[in-house]
mmCIF file with all atom_site columns, all heavy atoms in Angstrom:
data_model
loop_
_atom_site.group_PDB
_atom_site.id
_atom_site.type_symbol
_atom_site.label_atom_id
_atom_site.label_alt_id
_atom_site.label_comp_id
_atom_site.label_asym_id
_atom_site.label_entity_id
_atom_site.label_seq_id
_atom_site.pdbx_PDB_ins_code
_atom_site.Cartn_x
_atom_site.Cartn_y
_atom_site.Cartn_z
_atom_site.occupancy
_atom_site.B_iso_or_equiv
_atom_site.pdbx_formal_charge
_atom_site.auth_seq_id
_atom_site.auth_comp_id
_atom_site.auth_asym_id
_atom_site.auth_atom_id
_atom_site.pdbx_PDB_model_num
ATOM 1   N N   . LYS E 1 149 ? -18.931 -52.743 3.936  1.00 0.00 ? 149 LYS E N   1
ATOM 2   C CA  . LYS E 1 149 ? -19.956 -51.753 3.702  1.00 0.00 ? 149 LYS E CA  1
ATOM 3   C C   . LYS E 1 149 ? -19.336 -50.350 3.507  1.00 0.00 ? 149 LYS E C   1
ATOM 4   O O   . LYS E 1 149 ? -19.765 -49.566 2.585  1.00 0.00 ? 149 LYS E O   1
ATOM 5   C CB  . LYS E 1 149 ? -21.002 -51.769 4.891  1.00 0.00 ? 149 LYS E CB  1
ATOM 6   C CG  . LYS E 1 149 ? -22.207 -50.914 4.637  1.00 0.00 ? 149 LYS E CG  1
ATOM 7   C CD  . LYS E 1 149 ? -23.143 -51.105 5.874  1.00 0.00 ? 149 LYS E CD  1
ATOM 8   C CE  . LYS E 1 149 ? -24.028 -49.815 6.045  1.00 0.00 ? 149 LYS E CE  1
ATOM 9   N NZ  . LYS E 1 149 ? -24.601 -49.836 7.318  1.00 0.00 ? 149 LYS E NZ  1
ATOM 10  N N   . LEU E 1 150 ? -18.464 -49.988 4.415  1.00 0.00 ? 150 LEU E N   1
ATOM 11  C CA  . LEU E 1 150 ? -17.950 -48.653 4.419  1.00 0.00 ? 150 LEU E CA  1
ATOM 12  C C   . LEU E 1 150 ? -16.662 -48.431 3.591  1.00 0.00 ? 150 LEU E C   1
ATOM 13  O O   . LEU E 1 150 ? -16.255 -47.298 3.418  1.00 0.00 ? 150 LEU E O   1
ATOM 14  C CB  . LEU E 1 150 ? -17.740 -48.204 5.875  1.00 0.00 ? 150 LEU E CB  1
ATOM 15  C CG  . LEU E 1 150 ? -18.894 -48.268 6.870  1.00 0.00 ? 150 LEU E CG  1
ATOM 16  C CD1 . LEU E 1 150 ? -18.415 -48.123 8.288  1.00 0.00 ? 150 LEU E CD1 1
ATOM 17  C CD2 . LEU E 1 150 ? -19.901 -47.175 6.517  1.00 0.00 ? 150 LEU E CD2 1
ATOM 18  N N   . GLY E 1 151 ? -16.037 -49.471 3.295  1.00 0.00 ? 151 GLY E N   1
ATOM 19  C CA  . GLY E 1 151 ? -14.770 -49.402 2.502  1.00 0.00 ? 151 GLY E CA  1
ATOM 20  C C   . GLY E 1 151 ? -13.540 -49.490 3.431  1.00 0.00 ? 151 GLY E C   1
ATOM 21  O O   . GLY E 1 151 ? -13.630 -49.244 4.663  1.00 0.00 ? 151 GLY E O   1
ATOM 22  N N   . VAL E 1 152 ? -12.490 -49.805 2.857  1.00 0.00 ? 152 VAL E N   1
ATOM 23  C CA  . VAL E 1 152 ? -11.140 -50.007 3.565  1.00 0.00 ? 152 VAL E CA  1
ATOM 24  C C   . VAL E 1 152 ? -10.781 -48.724 4.301  1.00 0.00 ? 152 VAL E C   1
ATOM 25  O O   . VAL E 1 152 ? -10.140 -48.765 5.331  1.00 0.00 ? 152 VAL E O   1
ATOM 26  C CB  . VAL E 1 152 ? -10.056 -50.494 2.698  1.00 0.00 ? 152 VAL E CB  1
ATOM 27  C CG1 . VAL E 1 152 ? -8.836  -50.892 3.420  1.00 0.00 ? 152 VAL E CG1 1
ATOM 28  C CG2 . VAL E 1 152 ? -10.577 -51.729 1.888  1.00 0.00 ? 152 VAL E CG2 1
ATOM 29  N N   . ASP E 1 153 ? -11.089 -47.599 3.666  1.00 0.00 ? 153 ASP E N   1
ATOM 30  C CA  . ASP E 1 153 ? -10.654 -46.284 4.277  1.00 0.00 ? 153 ASP E CA  1
ATOM 31  C C   . ASP E 1 153 ? -11.290 -46.071 5.647  1.00 0.00 ? 153 ASP E C   1
ATOM 32  O O   . ASP E 1 153 ? -10.802 -45.239 6.370  1.00 0.00 ? 153 ASP E O   1
ATOM 33  C CB  . ASP E 1 153 ? -11.097 -45.140 3.353  1.00 0.00 ? 153 ASP E CB  1
ATOM 34  C CG  . ASP E 1 153 ? -10.190 -45.087 2.172  1.00 0.00 ? 153 ASP E CG  1
ATOM 35  O OD1 . ASP E 1 153 ? -9.169  -45.768 2.146  1.00 0.00 ? 153 ASP E OD1 1
ATOM 36  O OD2 . ASP E 1 153 ? -10.523 -44.354 1.196  1.00 0.00 ? 153 ASP E OD2 1
ATOM 37  N N   . SER E 1 154 ? -12.351 -46.768 5.930  1.00 0.00 ? 154 SER E N   1
ATOM 38  C CA  . SER E 1 154 ? -12.959 -46.568 7.262  1.00 0.00 ? 154 SER E CA  1
ATOM 39  C C   . SER E 1 154 ? -12.095 -47.142 8.364  1.00 0.00 ? 154 SER E C   1
ATOM 40  O O   . SER E 1 154 ? -12.218 -46.823 9.557  1.00 0.00 ? 154 SER E O   1
ATOM 41  C CB  . SER E 1 154 ? -14.320 -47.227 7.292  1.00 0.00 ? 154 SER E CB  1
ATOM 42  O OG  . SER E 1 154 ? -14.252 -48.641 7.205  1.00 0.00 ? 154 SER E OG  1
ATOM 43  N N   . ALA E 1 155 ? -11.135 -48.062 8.023  1.00 0.00 ? 155 ALA E N   1
ATOM 44  C CA  . ALA E 1 155 ? -10.188 -48.597 9.016  1.00 0.00 ? 155 ALA E CA  1
ATOM 45  C C   . ALA E 1 155 ? -8.879  -48.967 8.285  1.00 0.00 ? 155 ALA E C   1
ATOM 46  O O   . ALA E 1 155 ? -8.613  -50.151 8.068  1.00 0.00 ? 155 ALA E O   1
ATOM 47  C CB  . ALA E 1 155 ? -10.737 -49.763 9.719  1.00 0.00 ? 155 ALA E CB  1
ATOM 48  N N   . PRO E 1 156 ? -8.105  -47.942 7.925  1.00 0.00 ? 156 PRO E N   1
ATOM 49  C CA  . PRO E 1 156 ? -6.935  -48.197 7.044  1.00 0.00 ? 156 PRO E CA  1
ATOM 50  C C   . PRO E 1 156 ? -5.963  -49.137 7.740  1.00 0.00 ? 156 PRO E C   1
ATOM 51  O O   . PRO E 1 156 ? -5.184  -49.855 6.993  1.00 0.00 ? 156 PRO E O   1
ATOM 52  C CB  . PRO E 1 156 ? -6.286  -46.822 6.874  1.00 0.00 ? 156 PRO E CB  1
ATOM 53  C CG  . PRO E 1 156 ? -7.015  -45.887 7.812  1.00 0.00 ? 156 PRO E CG  1
ATOM 54  C CD  . PRO E 1 156 ? -8.260  -46.502 8.183  1.00 0.00 ? 156 PRO E CD  1
ATOM 55  N N   . ASN E 1 157 ? -5.927  -49.222 8.989  1.00 0.00 ? 157 ASN E N   1
ATOM 56  C CA  . ASN E 1 157 ? -4.873  -50.116 9.658  1.00 0.00 ? 157 ASN E CA  1
ATOM 57  C C   . ASN E 1 157 ? -5.556  -51.387 10.290 1.00 0.00 ? 157 ASN E C   1
ATOM 58  O O   . ASN E 1 157 ? -4.912  -52.050 11.108 1.00 0.00 ? 157 ASN E O   1
ATOM 59  C CB  . ASN E 1 157 ? -4.144  -49.382 10.817 1.00 0.00 ? 157 ASN E CB  1
ATOM 60  C CG  . ASN E 1 157 ? -3.273  -48.326 10.194 1.00 0.00 ? 157 ASN E CG  1
ATOM 61  O OD1 . ASN E 1 157 ? -2.716  -48.521 9.182  1.00 0.00 ? 157 ASN E OD1 1
ATOM 62  N ND2 . ASN E 1 157 ? -3.246  -47.158 10.855 1.00 0.00 ? 157 ASN E ND2 1
ATOM 63  N N   . TYR E 1 158 ? -6.725  -51.683 9.791  1.00 0.00 ? 158 TYR E N   1
ATOM 64  C CA  . TYR E 1 158 ? -7.411  -52.886 10.250 1.00 0.00 ? 158 TYR E CA  1
ATOM 65  C C   . TYR E 1 158 ? -6.704  -54.155 9.802  1.00 0.00 ? 158 TYR E C   1
ATOM 66  O O   . TYR E 1 158 ? -6.278  -54.229 8.620  1.00 0.00 ? 158 TYR E O   1
ATOM 67  C CB  . TYR E 1 158 ? -8.875  -52.880 9.817  1.00 0.00 ? 158 TYR E CB  1
ATOM 68  C CG  . TYR E 1 158 ? -9.651  -54.060 10.272 1.00 0.00 ? 158 TYR E CG  1
ATOM 69  C CD1 . TYR E 1 158 ? -10.183 -54.211 11.619 1.00 0.00 ? 158 TYR E CD1 1
ATOM 70  C CD2 . TYR E 1 158 ? -9.865  -55.178 9.393  1.00 0.00 ? 158 TYR E CD2 1
ATOM 71  C CE1 . TYR E 1 158 ? -10.852 -55.282 11.925 1.00 0.00 ? 158 TYR E CE1 1
ATOM 72  C CE2 . TYR E 1 158 ? -10.601 -56.256 9.804  1.00 0.00 ? 158 TYR E CE2 1
ATOM 73  C CZ  . TYR E 1 158 ? -11.063 -56.328 11.066 1.00 0.00 ? 158 TYR E CZ  1
ATOM 74  O OH  . TYR E 1 158 ? -11.800 -57.432 11.526 1.00 0.00 ? 158 TYR E OH  1
ATOM 75  N N   . CYS E 1 159 ? -6.599  -55.162 10.644 1.00 0.00 ? 159 CYS E N   1
ATOM 76  C CA  . CYS E 1 159 ? -6.100  -56.391 10.197 1.00 0.00 ? 159 CYS E CA  1
ATOM 77  C C   . CYS E 1 159 ? -6.828  -57.499 10.832 1.00 0.00 ? 159 CYS E C   1
ATOM 78  O O   . CYS E 1 159 ? -7.440  -57.393 11.890 1.00 0.00 ? 159 CYS E O   1
ATOM 79  C CB  . CYS E 1 159 ? -4.571  -56.551 10.489 1.00 0.00 ? 159 CYS E CB  1
ATOM 80  S SG  . CYS E 1 159 ? -4.238  -56.587 12.198 1.00 0.00 ? 159 CYS E SG  1
ATOM 81  N N   . GLU E 1 160 ? -6.915  -58.597 10.076 1.00 0.00 ? 160 GLU E N   1
ATOM 82  C CA  . GLU E 1 160 ? -7.633  -59.773 10.595 1.00 0.00 ? 160 GLU E CA  1
ATOM 83  C C   . GLU E 1 160 ? -6.778  -60.430 11.704 1.00 0.00 ? 160 GLU E C   1
ATOM 84  O O   . GLU E 1 160 ? -5.602  -60.733 11.435 1.00 0.00 ? 160 GLU E O   1
ATOM 85  C CB  . GLU E 1 160 ? -7.857  -60.840 9.462  1.00 0.00 ? 160 GLU E CB  1
ATOM 86  C CG  . GLU E 1 160 ? -8.790  -60.365 8.268  1.00 0.00 ? 160 GLU E CG  1
ATOM 87  C CD  . GLU E 1 160 ? -10.246 -60.358 8.789  1.00 0.00 ? 160 GLU E CD  1
ATOM 88  O OE1 . GLU E 1 160 ? -10.580 -60.951 9.848  1.00 0.00 ? 160 GLU E OE1 1
ATOM 89  O OE2 . GLU E 1 160 ? -11.045 -59.754 8.115  1.00 0.00 ? 160 GLU E OE2 1
ATOM 90  N N   . LEU E 1 161 ? -7.341  -60.621 12.840 1.00 0.00 ? 161 LEU E N   1
ATOM 91  C CA  . LEU E 1 161 ? -6.627  -61.251 13.964 1.00 0.00 ? 161 LEU E CA  1
ATOM 92  C C   . LEU E 1 161 ? -7.064  -62.718 14.041 1.00 0.00 ? 161 LEU E C   1
ATOM 93  O O   . LEU E 1 161 ? -8.276  -62.956 13.793 1.00 0.00 ? 161 LEU E O   1
ATOM 94  C CB  . LEU E 1 161 ? -6.742  -60.550 15.242 1.00 0.00 ? 161 LEU E CB  1
ATOM 95  C CG  . LEU E 1 161 ? -6.075  -59.191 15.381 1.00 0.00 ? 161 LEU E CG  1
ATOM 96  C CD1 . LEU E 1 161 ? -6.428  -58.575 16.754 1.00 0.00 ? 161 LEU E CD1 1
ATOM 97  C CD2 . LEU E 1 161 ? -4.605  -59.272 15.205 1.00 0.00 ? 161 LEU E CD2 1
ATOM 98  N N   . ARG E 1 162 ? -6.178  -63.620 14.409 1.00 0.00 ? 162 ARG E N   1
ATOM 99  C CA  . ARG E 1 162 ? -6.627  -64.986 14.674 1.00 0.00 ? 162 ARG E CA  1
ATOM 100 C C   . ARG E 1 162 ? -6.639  -65.245 16.125 1.00 0.00 ? 162 ARG E C   1
ATOM 101 O O   . ARG E 1 162 ? -5.994  -64.451 16.885 1.00 0.00 ? 162 ARG E O   1
ATOM 102 C CB  . ARG E 1 162 ? -5.621  -65.922 13.994 1.00 0.00 ? 162 ARG E CB  1
ATOM 103 C CG  . ARG E 1 162 ? -5.533  -65.834 12.499 1.00 0.00 ? 162 ARG E CG  1
ATOM 104 C CD  . ARG E 1 162 ? -4.224  -66.384 11.984 1.00 0.00 ? 162 ARG E CD  1
ATOM 105 N NE  . ARG E 1 162 ? -3.092  -65.752 12.672 1.00 0.00 ? 162 ARG E NE  1
ATOM 106 C CZ  . ARG E 1 162 ? -1.909  -66.227 12.803 1.00 0.00 ? 162 ARG E CZ  1
ATOM 107 N NH1 . ARG E 1 162 ? -1.610  -67.365 12.296 1.00 0.00 ? 162 ARG E NH1 1
ATOM 108 N NH2 . ARG E 1 162 ? -0.942  -65.551 13.427 1.00 0.00 ? 162 ARG E NH2 1
ATOM 109 N N   . ILE E 1 163 ? -7.248  -66.277 16.538 1.00 0.00 ? 163 ILE E N   1
ATOM 110 C CA  . ILE E 1 163 ? -7.372  -66.555 17.966 1.00 0.00 ? 163 ILE E CA  1
ATOM 111 C C   . ILE E 1 163 ? -5.955  -66.714 18.552 1.00 0.00 ? 163 ILE E C   1
ATOM 112 O O   . ILE E 1 163 ? -5.774  -66.336 19.739 1.00 0.00 ? 163 ILE E O   1
ATOM 113 C CB  . ILE E 1 163 ? -8.340  -67.718 18.198 1.00 0.00 ? 163 ILE E CB  1
ATOM 114 C CG1 . ILE E 1 163 ? -8.928  -67.752 19.629 1.00 0.00 ? 163 ILE E CG1 1
ATOM 115 C CG2 . ILE E 1 163 ? -7.639  -69.044 17.974 1.00 0.00 ? 163 ILE E CG2 1
ATOM 116 C CD1 . ILE E 1 163 ? -10.195 -67.025 19.766 1.00 0.00 ? 163 ILE E CD1 1
ATOM 117 N N   . GLU E 1 164 ? -5.067  -67.289 17.760 1.00 0.00 ? 164 GLU E N   1
ATOM 118 C CA  . GLU E 1 164 ? -3.668  -67.481 18.299 1.00 0.00 ? 164 GLU E CA  1
ATOM 119 C C   . GLU E 1 164 ? -2.977  -66.200 18.555 1.00 0.00 ? 164 GLU E C   1
ATOM 120 O O   . GLU E 1 164 ? -1.984  -66.153 19.292 1.00 0.00 ? 164 GLU E O   1
ATOM 121 C CB  . GLU E 1 164 ? -2.835  -68.295 17.262 1.00 0.00 ? 164 GLU E CB  1
ATOM 122 C CG  . GLU E 1 164 ? -3.414  -69.620 16.770 1.00 0.00 ? 164 GLU E CG  1
ATOM 123 C CD  . GLU E 1 164 ? -4.266  -69.387 15.566 1.00 0.00 ? 164 GLU E CD  1
ATOM 124 O OE1 . GLU E 1 164 ? -3.807  -69.311 14.417 1.00 0.00 ? 164 GLU E OE1 1
ATOM 125 O OE2 . GLU E 1 164 ? -5.524  -69.386 15.755 1.00 0.00 ? 164 GLU E OE2 1
ATOM 126 N N   . ASP E 1 165 ? -3.483  -65.130 17.893 1.00 0.00 ? 165 ASP E N   1
ATOM 127 C CA  . ASP E 1 165 ? -2.805  -63.821 18.190 1.00 0.00 ? 165 ASP E CA  1
ATOM 128 C C   . ASP E 1 165 ? -3.237  -63.272 19.518 1.00 0.00 ? 165 ASP E C   1
ATOM 129 O O   . ASP E 1 165 ? -2.554  -62.347 20.012 1.00 0.00 ? 165 ASP E O   1
ATOM 130 C CB  . ASP E 1 165 ? -3.260  -62.808 17.071 1.00 0.00 ? 165 ASP E CB  1
ATOM 131 C CG  . ASP E 1 165 ? -2.755  -63.215 15.717 1.00 0.00 ? 165 ASP E CG  1
ATOM 132 O OD1 . ASP E 1 165 ? -1.626  -63.715 15.587 1.00 0.00 ? 165 ASP E OD1 1
ATOM 133 O OD2 . ASP E 1 165 ? -3.559  -63.020 14.745 1.00 0.00 ? 165 ASP E OD2 1
ATOM 134 N N   . ILE E 1 166 ? -4.264  -63.719 20.090 1.00 0.00 ? 166 ILE E N   1
ATOM 135 C CA  . ILE E 1 166 ? -4.743  -63.145 21.343 1.00 0.00 ? 166 ILE E CA  1
ATOM 136 C C   . ILE E 1 166 ? -4.732  -64.115 22.479 1.00 0.00 ? 166 ILE E C   1
ATOM 137 O O   . ILE E 1 166 ? -4.789  -63.649 23.655 1.00 0.00 ? 166 ILE E O   1
ATOM 138 C CB  . ILE E 1 166 ? -6.136  -62.527 21.185 1.00 0.00 ? 166 ILE E CB  1
ATOM 139 C CG1 . ILE E 1 166 ? -7.234  -63.596 20.864 1.00 0.00 ? 166 ILE E CG1 1
ATOM 140 C CG2 . ILE E 1 166 ? -6.204  -61.362 20.177 1.00 0.00 ? 166 ILE E CG2 1
ATOM 141 C CD1 . ILE E 1 166 ? -8.609  -63.093 21.042 1.00 0.00 ? 166 ILE E CD1 1
ATOM 142 N N   . VAL E 1 167 ? -4.662  -65.419 22.262 1.00 0.00 ? 167 VAL E N   1
ATOM 143 C CA  . VAL E 1 167 ? -4.539  -66.397 23.364 1.00 0.00 ? 167 VAL E CA  1
ATOM 144 C C   . VAL E 1 167 ? -3.304  -67.204 23.157 1.00 0.00 ? 167 VAL E C   1
ATOM 145 O O   . VAL E 1 167 ? -3.153  -67.930 22.169 1.00 0.00 ? 167 VAL E O   1
ATOM 146 C CB  . VAL E 1 167 ? -5.763  -67.273 23.409 1.00 0.00 ? 167 VAL E CB  1
ATOM 147 C CG1 . VAL E 1 167 ? -5.662  -68.170 24.682 1.00 0.00 ? 167 VAL E CG1 1
ATOM 148 C CG2 . VAL E 1 167 ? -7.074  -66.489 23.552 1.00 0.00 ? 167 VAL E CG2 1
ATOM 149 N N   . ARG E 1 168 ? -2.389  -67.058 24.131 1.00 0.00 ? 168 ARG E N   1
ATOM 150 C CA  . ARG E 1 168 ? -1.127  -67.828 24.004 1.00 0.00 ? 168 ARG E CA  1
ATOM 151 C C   . ARG E 1 168 ? -0.920  -68.548 25.388 1.00 0.00 ? 168 ARG E C   1
ATOM 152 O O   . ARG E 1 168 ? -1.512  -68.253 26.368 1.00 0.00 ? 168 ARG E O   1
ATOM 153 C CB  . ARG E 1 168 ? 0.016   -66.809 23.901 1.00 0.00 ? 168 ARG E CB  1
ATOM 154 C CG  . ARG E 1 168 ? 0.015   -66.076 22.523 1.00 0.00 ? 168 ARG E CG  1
ATOM 155 C CD  . ARG E 1 168 ? 1.184   -65.133 22.524 1.00 0.00 ? 168 ARG E CD  1
ATOM 156 N NE  . ARG E 1 168 ? 1.402   -64.594 21.164 1.00 0.00 ? 168 ARG E NE  1
ATOM 157 C CZ  . ARG E 1 168 ? 0.764   -63.470 20.693 1.00 0.00 ? 168 ARG E CZ  1
ATOM 158 N NH1 . ARG E 1 168 ? 0.018   -62.732 21.533 1.00 0.00 ? 168 ARG E NH1 1
ATOM 159 N NH2 . ARG E 1 168 ? 0.938   -63.012 19.533 1.00 0.00 ? 168 ARG E NH2 1
ATOM 160 N N   . GLU E 1 169 ? 0.060   -69.528 25.280 1.00 0.00 ? 169 GLU E N   1
ATOM 161 C CA  . GLU E 1 169 ? 0.446   -70.295 26.510 1.00 0.00 ? 169 GLU E CA  1
ATOM 162 C C   . GLU E 1 169 ? 1.034   -69.448 27.557 1.00 0.00 ? 169 GLU E C   1
ATOM 163 O O   . GLU E 1 169 ? 0.718   -69.484 28.692 1.00 0.00 ? 169 GLU E O   1
ATOM 164 C CB  . GLU E 1 169 ? 1.372   -71.413 26.071 1.00 0.00 ? 169 GLU E CB  1
ATOM 165 C CG  . GLU E 1 169 ? 0.775   -72.612 25.501 1.00 0.00 ? 169 GLU E CG  1
ATOM 166 C CD  . GLU E 1 169 ? 0.113   -73.495 26.580 1.00 0.00 ? 169 GLU E CD  1
ATOM 167 O OE1 . GLU E 1 169 ? 0.810   -73.971 27.497 1.00 0.00 ? 169 GLU E OE1 1
ATOM 168 O OE2 . GLU E 1 169 ? -1.091  -73.699 26.424 1.00 0.00 ? 169 GLU E OE2 1
ATOM 169 N N   . LYS E 1 170 ? 1.954   -68.564 27.036 1.00 0.00 ? 170 LYS E N   1
ATOM 170 C CA  . LYS E 1 170 ? 2.706   -67.734 27.944 1.00 0.00 ? 170 LYS E CA  1
ATOM 171 C C   . LYS E 1 170 ? 2.909   -66.332 27.313 1.00 0.00 ? 170 LYS E C   1
ATOM 172 O O   . LYS E 1 170 ? 3.035   -66.242 26.101 1.00 0.00 ? 170 LYS E O   1
ATOM 173 C CB  . LYS E 1 170 ? 4.101   -68.308 28.276 1.00 0.00 ? 170 LYS E CB  1
ATOM 174 C CG  . LYS E 1 170 ? 4.067   -69.480 29.188 1.00 0.00 ? 170 LYS E CG  1
ATOM 175 C CD  . LYS E 1 170 ? 5.330   -69.660 29.979 1.00 0.00 ? 170 LYS E CD  1
ATOM 176 C CE  . LYS E 1 170 ? 5.295   -70.919 30.823 1.00 0.00 ? 170 LYS E CE  1
ATOM 177 N NZ  . LYS E 1 170 ? 4.848   -70.664 32.163 1.00 0.00 ? 170 LYS E NZ  1
#
Side-chain angles (χ1 to χ4, degrees):
Chain E
K149 188 177 152 196
L150 303 167
V152 186
D153 285 350
S154 65
N157 293 320
Y158 179 80
C159 66
E160 295 285 347
L161 291 177
R162 297 156 307 159
I163 204 89
E164 307 88 81
D165 296 322
I166 62 166
V167 183
R168 295 180 170 90
E169 279 283 300
K170 288 207 182 264

